[in-house]
Amino acid sequence: MIRIHVLLLGAVLALAACAASSPQMGPDGKPLPRVYRISPGETREVRFRMLDAVNSLREGAGVKPLILDNKLTAAAATHSRDMSVQERPWHFGSDGSSPLDRIQRVEYEGEFIGETISETYETELETLAAWMEDDVTRRVILSSEARRMGFAWHQDPGGKIWWTMTLGS
């Protein structure tokens, strides 16, 4: 009897593993997005993973690497939260602020180079890949004038992530 229970438990666990690994399909026949959850303890890791990826792309383009800047990151974090509140990805804050206004508020002393934003359930590296497919955001990321990067996000309870990258000189 115990042997049968052990076999049944093993079969159930094997089936559960198979079901968990196959993606769910949407009505369009494409896989539904998986929610990428970022725990508070992963903040540093995610930021530096993005910085490393951006710098690899910049190196390939022959431009100088960026360093992570706390003030630009604070401006990016404010905007990510605000986009979530507004429920739309755009470059203006709910108070009408622009990216330039936000970096001035955090007393960033360099020049504003550009801002990239996204609303997605994807990882930071998938988001970077999407930004690199767009001519405008690619130019911002690979700008030879950029020297510093701010990078932040806000994740809604449902899993949607609002990403913001702000670059300065």
Side-chain angles (χ1 to χ4, degrees), residues 70-87:
N70 290 335
K71 289 181 178 181
L72 290 176
T73 295
T78 297
H79 192 55
S80 291
R81 282 189 303 277
D82 193 45
M83 285 191 297
S84 171
V85 169
Q86 295 182 71
E87 296 184 0

Side-chain angles (χ1 to χ4, degrees), residues 51-123:
L51 179 65
D52 289 344
V54 166
N55 281 337
S56 291
L57 292 167
R58 289 175 63 84
E59 181 181 0
V63 294
K64 291 184 179 182
L66 302 174
I67 60 171
L68 201 56
D69 185 277
N70 290 335
K71 289 181 178 181
L72 290 176
T73 295
T78 297
H79 192 55
S80 291
R81 282 189 303 277
D82 193 45
M83 285 191 297
S84 171
V85 169
Q86 295 182 71
E87 296 184 0
R88 63 179 171 176
W90 76 323
H91 293 281
F92 294 95
S94 56
D95 61 356
S97 62
S98 70
L100 185 57
D101 295 329
R102 288 189 291 277
I103 69 164
Q104 288 173 343
R105 286 180 187 162
V106 296
E107 299 178 356
Y108 180 71
E109 295 176 5
E111 298 279 327
F112 172 73
I113 301 298
E115 178 181 78
T116 60
I117 58 172
S118 182
E119 160 200 27
T120 184
Y121 291 91
E122 297 177 329
T123 70

